[in-house]
Amino acid sequence: MEDQNKNAAFLESLKRNNEKIRDDRANAIAEDAQLMYKRETEDLALSLKRLKREQENMLDMSPTDANSLVLASDFDAKDYVAKDLEMSVKIRNLEIKLELAKKRYSHLFGATINEL
């Protein structure tokens, strides 16, 4: 019975030394942090793409089909400009945040995130 226990995972785990335990813990922590950082960076890139697409869609002045057009009396230029500028600021902030996230990811984990 003693021979069967020599390769058992539980017994091997009990025999690990402090260096091996610290190494295993460090690897687990680093892997979790890297995955979460990468996911957050990918989420930022996706949000940025969606916001840019939404801003471009504001240029579509045909509300129902390709032949229709918003009436001049229904178009509020002031609201359009305010919304466009607000979206532009959000886009710029996301671009900055994404750029910083990529740089930090590279610094922290020694890897690069390909263009998303």
Side-chain angles (χ1 to χ4, degrees):
M1 178 149 179
E2 192 173 306
D3 289 339
Q4 292 174 346
N5 291 339
K6 284 186 180 180
N7 294 327
F10 185 74
L11 183 59
E12 290 299 314
S13 178
L14 292 173
K15 291 181 178 180
R16 293 185 308 163
N17 62 20
N18 284 339
E19 185 177 339
K20 178 65 176 154
I21 291 169
R22 283 194 320 260
D23 189 48
D24 289 347
R25 288 177 185 167
N27 286 332
I29 290 169
E31 183 179 300
D32 284 352
Q34 185 174 6
L35 287 171
M36 290 307 296
Y37 219 106
K38 185 175 183 182
R39 175 174 281 162
E40 182 67 24
T41 304
E42 290 169 345
D43 289 346
L44 284 171
L46 180 60
S47 294
L48 181 60
K49 283 182 181 183
R50 286 181 175 166
L51 196 54
K52 284 181 177 181
R53 189 177 303 129
E54 184 180 340
Q55 188 179 39
E56 286 300 313
N57 287 340
M58 286 177 48
L59 296 173
D60 183 4
M61 298 294 168
S62 51
T64 56
D65 61 45
N67 296 321
S68 67
L69 189 61
V70 172
L71 297 174
S73 60
D74 292 340
F75 182 74
D76 187 342
K78 186 170 181 146
D79 284 346
Y80 179 86
V81 169
K83 185 174 180 181
D84 188 64
L85 288 175
E86 180 183 334
M87 291 178 84
S88 294
V89 169
K90 286 180 182 179
I91 288 169
R92 184 64 184 131
N93 286 338
L94 278 174
E95 288 171 340
I96 292 169
K97 194 171 183 179
L98 179 59
E99 178 185 334
L100 292 173
K102 286 180 178 181
K103 284 181 182 178
R104 289 297 296 166
Y105 181 88
S106 179
H107 173 72
L108 293 171
F109 305 108
T112 58
I113 297 179
N114 295 332
E115 192 59 36
L116 306 170

